[in-house]
Amino acid sequence: MYWNDLDHHRGEILDQFWMSHQAVRERINQRVAGDPGCWPTQWFRERFADRLPLRRAISVGCGTGALERDLVRQGIVLQVTGIDLAERPLALARAEAEAAGAGGAITYLAADARQFLRRCDGLDAVFFHASLHHFDRLSELLGLVRRALLPNGLLYLDEYVGPSMSDWGPRSLFLPNLLYYLLPKSLRRPRLVRTPINAEDPTEGVCAAEILGAVEAHFQTLERRDYGGDFLQLIHPNLRRPGMGPKAPSREEFDSAIRFLLDCEDLCLRNPAITRSRSHHTVLVAEPRR
């Protein structure tokens, strides 16, 4: 299993992830919370302070457990169960929770999400953080989430909701490639930006374009904060970084290119009709439809 390899959760791979750049992180925070220093979970804590702390919650696709530790640290949840299919990340998550003094508030289980949710009821919240886009049969899954929640329970998503892997084509890659070729040659590695397929993980973005519709069928959206990624997620892995050989860009050139792409995303987020597309990432909070 791809996600059972701890190297895919930390180290060099995460350092190359588009959200790891400080300017990107600050812009995402600005788009979600209106403050470059306020992370989405902090915004959630402030926005829904009247419902906190959440007594019982689960986190689906928890990986190495960073979200659960953050939720406990901020006092957002009293008890949270993280579930995942990958055993090695779960073992690390348990160790990290104990080291952080949060072991009593966090439980980690190896479990299939659908089977686990069928046994749940009376939950105050269900969290998906970059995990829901790995699922198919989304209406079925979110129907199980709705039934597991209390009537005023909360669904929290921080997710990729862009094109499903089967939806990518020349039209959706045209604008990213145009922006790519506006960057200095020293920054461009491959000739073209291609469909972001992970050959080792067939679940990546399998039904991502269906997420918002499936949420709408079962939930009433309370807050939705789109934060883009339409260009950065695609282009960033193709960029030559400072230190990559004699023709590598300077740190100033690289950071300037990142800011340029972020500004282009801001323009599209303010004027979606320009590109006839929607934000590829969003933070969404909803409650079950009655």
Side-chain angles (χ1 to χ4, degrees):
M1 181 191 298
Y2 179 81
W3 291 108
N4 202 42
D5 186 342
L6 291 179
D7 287 342
H8 296 139
H9 294 268
R10 61 189 181 185
E12 184 178 352
I13 287 182
L14 290 187
D15 290 341
Q16 296 177 3
F17 187 49
W18 68 283
M19 291 187 193
S20 66
H21 192 283
Q22 183 177 350
V24 176
R25 185 69 259 173
E26 290 176 352
R27 195 73 64 96
I28 291 173
N29 291 348
Q30 178 69 41
R31 292 166 179 170
V32 173
D35 178 349
C38 182
W39 286 59
T41 53
Q42 294 174 281
W43 163 82
F44 173 74
R45 184 189 63 191
E46 295 168 7
R47 169 63 180 82
F48 294 93
D50 59 330
R51 301 193 186 209
L52 305 183
L54 300 165
R55 185 174 58 91
R56 291 177 62 224
I58 68 169
S59 173
V60 180
C62 61
T64 55
L67 174 65
E68 299 76 56
R69 294 192 297 274
D70 184 48
L71 295 175
V72 170
R73 179 184 62 80
Q74 293 194 60
I76 294 172
V77 300
L78 297 180
Q79 294 285 331
V80 58
T81 299
I83 63 172
D84 206 303
L85 289 173
E87 293 277 6
R88 294 182 68 192
L90 286 171
L92 179 59
R94 294 185 189 104
E96 294 286 351
E98 290 294 333
I106 306 175
T107 302
Y108 287 109
L109 297 173
D112 175 84
R114 289 183 173 86
Q115 293 178 12
F116 187 83
L117 285 164
R118 288 189 180 100
R119 301 192 299 268
C120 290
D121 60 17
L123 295 175
D124 294 286
V126 175
F127 292 84
F128 290 89
H129 189 279
S131 58
L132 186 56
H133 68 272
H134 290 279
F135 286 87
D136 60 4
R137 296 161 27 224
L138 291 170
S139 185
E140 175 196 44
L141 176 66
L142 290 170
L144 293 171
V145 171
R146 176 175 54 81
R147 287 190 289 273
L149 284 168
L150 290 166
N152 64 340
L154 295 176
L155 169 69
Y156 176 96
L157 309 180
D158 186 339
E159 275 297 336
Y160 170 75
V161 294
S164 303
M165 284 302 103
S166 60
D167 294 338
W168 286 96
R171 182 185 177 280
S172 53
L173 292 169
F174 174 77
L175 188 52
N177 272 291
L178 177 62
L179 295 175
Y180 182 61
Y181 269 86
L182 290 176
L183 301 177
K185 187 175 181 180
S186 61
L187 283 151
R188 305 194 305 267
R189 290 192 301 110
R191 189 173 64 86
L192 291 173
V193 173
R194 301 185 184 277
T195 302
I197 292 175
N198 183 345
E200 298 180 74
D201 180 16
T203 70
E204 186 66 51
V206 61
C207 292
E210 301 172 22
I211 289 175
L212 295 177
V215 169
E216 179 66 20
H218 294 281
F219 293 87
Q220 177 68 42
T221 298
L222 303 176
E223 290 282 358
R224 177 176 161 189
R225 303 297 176 97
D226 293 339
Y227 64 85
D230 303 34
F231 305 140
L232 259 300
Q233 183 191 23
L234 290 167
I235 296 174
H236 188 272
N238 295 280
L239 297 179
R240 184 178 290 110
R241 292 164 176 74
M244 282 188 172
K247 295 183 179 181
S250 67
R251 171 54 60 180
E252 183 179 1
E253 287 178 309
F254 184 80
D255 290 347
S256 178
I258 296 297
R259 289 192 295 271
F260 165 72
L261 293 171
L262 286 168
D263 290 343
C264 291
E265 287 190 353
D266 279 340
L267 178 64
C268 289
L269 285 170
R270 290 193 300 268
N271 303 278
I274 292 177
T275 57
R276 291 180 289 171
S277 65
R278 67 186 186 194
S279 172
H280 287 188
H281 294 80
T282 195
V283 170
L284 184 149
V285 183
E287 63 183 4
R289 288 192 177 276
R290 293 181 174 83

